[in-house]
Amino acid sequence: MTVDSNSELETQIAEWRAYVRRRQEMHQADAEELEDHLRGRIADLTEAGLHPDEAFLIAVKRMGSLDELSREFAREHSDRLWKQLVLTGDDPAGPARSRRELPVMVACAAAAALAIKVPGWLGLDMDSDAAASFFLRNAGLFALAPLAAYFAWQRRLGAGVIGLLAAFFALGATAVNTYPMAGDSHTLVLAAIHLPIALWLVVGVAYVGGEWRSGQRRMDFIRFTGEFLIYYALLALGGGVLTAFTAGTFNAIGINPETFISQWLLPCGAVAAVVVAAWLVEAKQSVVENMAPVLTKVFTPLFTATLLAFLGAVAFTTSVIDVEREVLIVFDLLLVVVLGLLLYALSARNPAAKPGLFDKLQLALVVSALIIDVLVLIAITGRITEFGFTANKTAALGENLILLANLAWSAWLFLGFIRGRMPFGRLEQWQTRYLAVYAVWAWTVVLVFPPLFDFA
């Protein structure tokens, strides 16, 4: 067996292993045991004189008769010979639990849609300033609590983990609704932005089945987040078309549907779509897994070119970055999108593949984002030195420092990986562990900023 064939075989096994570890019911020890079985079968077949590729295909086929995972792996890689080798008949009927997935999802989505209407039924005027403040505080709770409940059922979480999830949601609800934040308070806006982020990472605990210490499961959640955003965006586009047709058709017969659209269709649809999008990711995973890597390959060079052009404009004009709140939000969103592209490219990458041109392009993207983050931090610290700390400036300072640390270390790891001095796994481990930093900061803004700035 040549070196090339060994490398090719390891690549195939790495793809199979990555697939197996993404399955929600598969623990680390189970995946390792299955891989030992697979390697044992491959070794027996190669000793019998088969080429490694042939041995791998036949080994997967034989394992397909023992576990459904190998059958599903072949099904999702239908462009290869695995489909012919492993799919030897109709799929067996799924268990009763799988048949209940859709009704449970519908129930959770309906719960989210109805929950957002309860305050109005209890007398809160939907057109009042009080209603606007209430929904600004609680939008994340209405959308994400049913999603956490759905994953708690799907993952069969124990009472201890469910209690932990409930405690975090109760803590968030208490914080945003008991602090006396005024309607024009900066901390109210900050809490409204950061509470959904904090609760999303709580949903992540439910998604990984409570196995938050597993780096592979945390990477699964990162992958899920990217796929969820794609599906939610598609649902939002479809919802926009539905809204336009609803308005147009009813107006044509003299009925004004504005009240129905503004008070029912849009708010109920927005929160229910959170659960529906998550269900679609789980049910149609292979579709998005084919789409997402393509999107990262398209947008990574575009964002790299945009950031380099911006840095060139800054150098040419010697302009400084404006530190108004809206501008800071734009820059922070830009850096978050860059980080998201990096994370999703890592999650979709074959860990056994050697560094290539795309990896160098990602390094350029990270370094460009790092330089921009430094420029933003210089502008923020200058503003703080001149006018003092405020809630907005403190939040911007903290978030950009967090992004700076992540981008700087990611650039160092990427450089080491491209130069062959760093294993690819170090990149994944760093990013998944850094999720805890984002969680701590989001909860800090929600819980600490109101008393720190509003009561001062």
Side-chain angles (χ1 to χ4, degrees):
M1 194 161 48
T2 65
V3 174
D4 287 342
S5 61
N6 264 324
S7 175
E8 205 171 309
L9 176 61
E10 288 301 321
T11 299
Q12 292 174 321
I13 293 177
E15 288 187 17
W16 177 88
R17 180 173 59 246
Y19 176 85
V20 168
R21 289 181 178 174
R22 286 202 301 270
R23 309 305 293 177
Q24 64 194 48
E25 68 274 17
M26 183 62 62
H27 297 287
Q28 179 76 14
D30 299 325
E32 290 174 354
E33 184 178 354
L34 276 176
E35 184 176 345
D36 287 340
H37 281 299
L38 179 65
R39 287 185 179 276
R41 291 176 180 272
I42 292 173
D44 292 340
L45 292 167
T46 52
E47 288 176 4
L50 291 179
H51 189 274
D53 284 347
E54 298 171 334
F56 174 77
L57 296 173
I58 294 173
V60 172
K61 175 188 182 301
R62 290 180 179 176
M63 289 188 67
S65 65
L66 298 177
D67 67 281
E68 181 62 19
L69 283 172
S70 293
R71 292 178 60 85
E72 292 181 7
F73 178 72
R75 186 183 302 115
E76 294 193 14
H77 292 73
S78 57
D79 57 325
R80 303 188 183 184
L81 291 176
W82 295 321
K83 182 175 183 180
Q84 289 75 29
L85 288 171
V86 181
L87 299 182
T88 55
D90 294 333
D91 295 337
R97 185 177 182 83
S98 297
R99 292 195 295 270
R100 294 198 299 269
E101 289 277 347
L102 180 59
V104 171
M105 181 277 294
V106 171
C108 290
L114 293 175
I116 204 168
K117 298 297 298 178
V118 169
W121 296 338
L122 295 178
L124 184 64
D125 184 2
M126 301 298 287
D127 295 324
S128 66
D129 292 339
S133 175
F134 175 83
F135 285 109
L136 183 62
R137 298 168 187 249
N138 294 280
L141 291 163
F142 287 127
L144 297 179
L147 179 59
Y150 170 69
F151 281 133
W153 172 84
Q154 189 189 53
R155 303 302 198 254
R156 304 183 186 183
L157 297 183
V161 179
I162 292 176
L164 179 65
L165 298 176
F168 273 113
F169 274 93
L171 179 63
T174 301
V176 297
N177 289 291
T178 57
Y179 285 142
M181 294 180 287
D184 58 350
S185 168
H186 289 169
T187 56
L188 174 59
V189 177
L190 290 171
I193 293 173
H194 287 83
L195 182 59
I197 298 172
L199 294 178
W200 182 255
L201 295 172
V202 174
V203 170
V205 177
Y207 178 84
V208 300
E211 299 178 29
W212 194 247
R213 293 183 178 181
S214 168
Q216 183 62 43
R217 297 298 287 142
R218 294 194 299 268
M219 183 55 74
D220 291 344
F221 177 63
I222 291 172
R223 184 182 298 107
F224 164 79
T225 300
E227 295 168 1
F228 169 85
L229 292 174
I230 293 173
Y231 268 121
Y232 192 85
L234 293 175
L235 289 174
L237 290 173
V241 174
L242 173 63
T243 301
F245 275 112
T246 301
T249 53
F250 279 87
N251 281 324
I253 57 174
I255 298 175
N256 186 359
E258 181 179 349
T259 300
F260 168 75
I261 291 173
S262 63
Q263 297 192 10
W264 284 91
L265 182 60
L266 291 181
C268 294
V271 293
V274 172
V275 180
V276 175
W279 174 77
L280 286 171
V281 172
E282 295 290 279
K284 305 293 182 184
Q285 195 174 51
S286 62
V287 176
V288 180
E289 284 180 351
N290 290 332
M291 181 196 312
V294 175
L295 293 178
T296 60
K297 291 289 179 68
V298 171
F299 284 103
T300 294
L302 293 177
F303 269 89
T304 304
T306 300
L307 296 191
L308 291 174
F310 173 77
L311 290 174
V314 169
F316 181 75
T317 62
T318 65
S319 300
V320 295
I321 295 175
D322 189 359
V323 290
E324 293 299 323
R325 182 176 68 180
E326 293 76 11
V327 177
L328 290 177
I329 290 175
V330 169
F331 274 100
D332 285 345
L333 286 176
L334 174 64
L335 295 175
V336 168
V337 169
V338 169
L339 192 58
L341 283 172
L342 170 64
L343 287 171
Y344 208 72
L346 291 178
S347 70
R349 191 183 190 281
N350 179 3
K354 295 180 179 180
L357 177 61
F358 186 72
D359 298 300
K360 296 176 182 177
L361 191 62
Q362 284 183 293
L363 176 60
L365 176 65
V366 172
V367 172
S368 302
L370 178 61
I371 296 173
I372 290 175
D373 194 19
V374 171
L375 294 176
V376 172
L377 279 170
I378 292 173
I380 293 172
T381 52
R383 192 77 170 178
I384 291 174
T385 302
E386 184 177 359
F387 297 103
F389 283 93
T390 64
N392 284 333
K393 293 185 182 68
T394 305
L397 178 64
E399 283 153 12
N400 281 276
L401 285 173
I402 290 171
L403 289 170
L404 178 72
N406 195 355
L407 291 169
W409 193 244
S410 296
W412 175 255
L413 292 175
F414 245 119
L415 181 62
F417 171 64
I418 290 172
R419 297 173 66 181
R421 298 179 180 178
M422 193 79 65
F424 177 78
R426 288 285 300 279
L427 278 163
E428 290 187 329
Q429 291 173 7
W430 164 253
Q431 294 297 345
T432 60
R433 289 173 180 172
Y434 210 74
L435 290 175
V437 178
Y438 297 124
V440 170
W441 177 251
W443 282 108
T444 299
V445 174
V446 173
L447 300 177
V448 178
F449 272 41
L452 183 64
F453 290 99
D454 285 353
F455 303 162

